[in-house]
Amino acid sequence: MKLTISPNSPYVRKARACAIQRGIEHLIEPWLEAGKDPALPRLNPLSKVPTLVTDDGVALFDSPVICEYLDSIGTAPPLFPPAGPARWNALRQQALGDGILDASQPRRREIALPQDEGRRSYIELQQGKVARAVDALEAEAGTLGALTTIGEITIACALGYLDFRYANEPWRPGHPTLEAWYARVSRLPAMARTAPPPA
């Protein structure tokens, strides 16, 4: 398999973390220059990162699809629980973590542009989404485990991205249970080995 690699992308980090948790990281070849490779648009018309090319030559995107595919390989306990309440909870948590990322990534671009009223309103809207999501995670942080589900992996990647890109907007104050959980899981191989490089 071949996976597009962008060291700063939290979505790539999520896919790599899943592979580590599954014990199949050694099966994945890093596609380091995918963004400059003319093969990428042919395989993925959206040219999205991450893209995973399977051994059969099938291109999969984006991170939820890639992670579910990786979860079908190997013999480790599944990150996507079987049908039932546990699965819906894991998928909901994945959506919450991805939502933090979806609100945070485009905001970085907007911050760098001239600030008019429309842009300031957009930035505040995205900040509000992240703040509410972190509050919701604090309320359930006591139930989170050691990166045993796709939801927990996505949440950890989202919090790591907030640390990486928004250190001036700390999320820890007022969220002690979530802070303690993240401190524990950030030391696990799936997070420690995929951390973005220092700025």
Side-chain angles (χ1 to χ4, degrees):
M1 294 180 287
K2 187 163 64 170
L3 177 69
T4 57
I5 297 294
S6 172
N8 296 338
S9 167
Y11 302 103
V12 171
R13 185 182 192 187
K14 177 181 163 186
R16 292 180 62 212
C18 285
I20 292 170
Q21 283 294 101
R22 296 288 301 165
I24 59 171
E25 188 184 22
H26 64 287
L27 300 178
I28 298 175
E29 173 191 349
W31 189 359
L32 295 172
E33 296 295 326
K36 302 175 184 177
D37 191 332
L40 181 60
R42 291 197 297 270
L43 289 165
N44 177 354
L46 302 174
S47 298
K48 293 189 76 170
V49 173
T51 295
L52 178 79
V53 182
T54 71
D55 290 338
D56 297 327
V58 176
L60 299 175
F61 45 91
D62 49 2
S63 67
V65 177
I66 292 170
C67 292
E68 190 158 7
Y69 177 79
L70 295 175
D71 203 38
S72 72
I73 301 171
T75 58
L79 299 170
F80 288 77
R87 179 177 180 84
W88 292 120
N89 189 54
L91 294 180
R92 179 188 61 80
Q93 290 176 339
Q94 177 182 217
L96 197 54
D98 279 341
I100 290 173
L101 296 175
D102 294 343
S104 300
Q105 277 210 315
R107 185 159 68 91
R108 284 192 64 241
R109 294 190 295 270
E110 296 299 316
I111 289 171
L113 297 172
Q115 297 297 295
D116 57 23
E117 183 178 346
R119 189 158 283 127
R120 285 192 296 271
S121 295
Y122 173 83
I123 290 170
E124 290 173 4
L125 177 66
Q126 305 312 313
Q127 286 175 311
K129 292 177 183 179
V130 171
R132 290 191 299 274
V134 173
D135 286 345
L137 290 173
E138 171 66 17
E140 61 186 275
T143 68
L144 297 175
L147 305 181
T148 56
T149 70
I150 186 60
E152 293 166 2
I153 287 175
T154 309
I155 291 167
C157 289
L159 296 177
Y161 187 74
L162 294 179
D163 280 349
F164 178 55
R165 291 300 193 193
Y166 295 97
N168 61 321
E169 299 176 17
W171 57 267
R172 288 171 177 79
H175 305 102
T177 310
L178 188 61
E179 177 181 5
W181 174 79
Y182 182 70
R184 291 193 301 272
V185 299
S186 62
R187 294 191 291 266
L188 298 176
M191 290 291 104
R193 288 164 49 190
T194 60

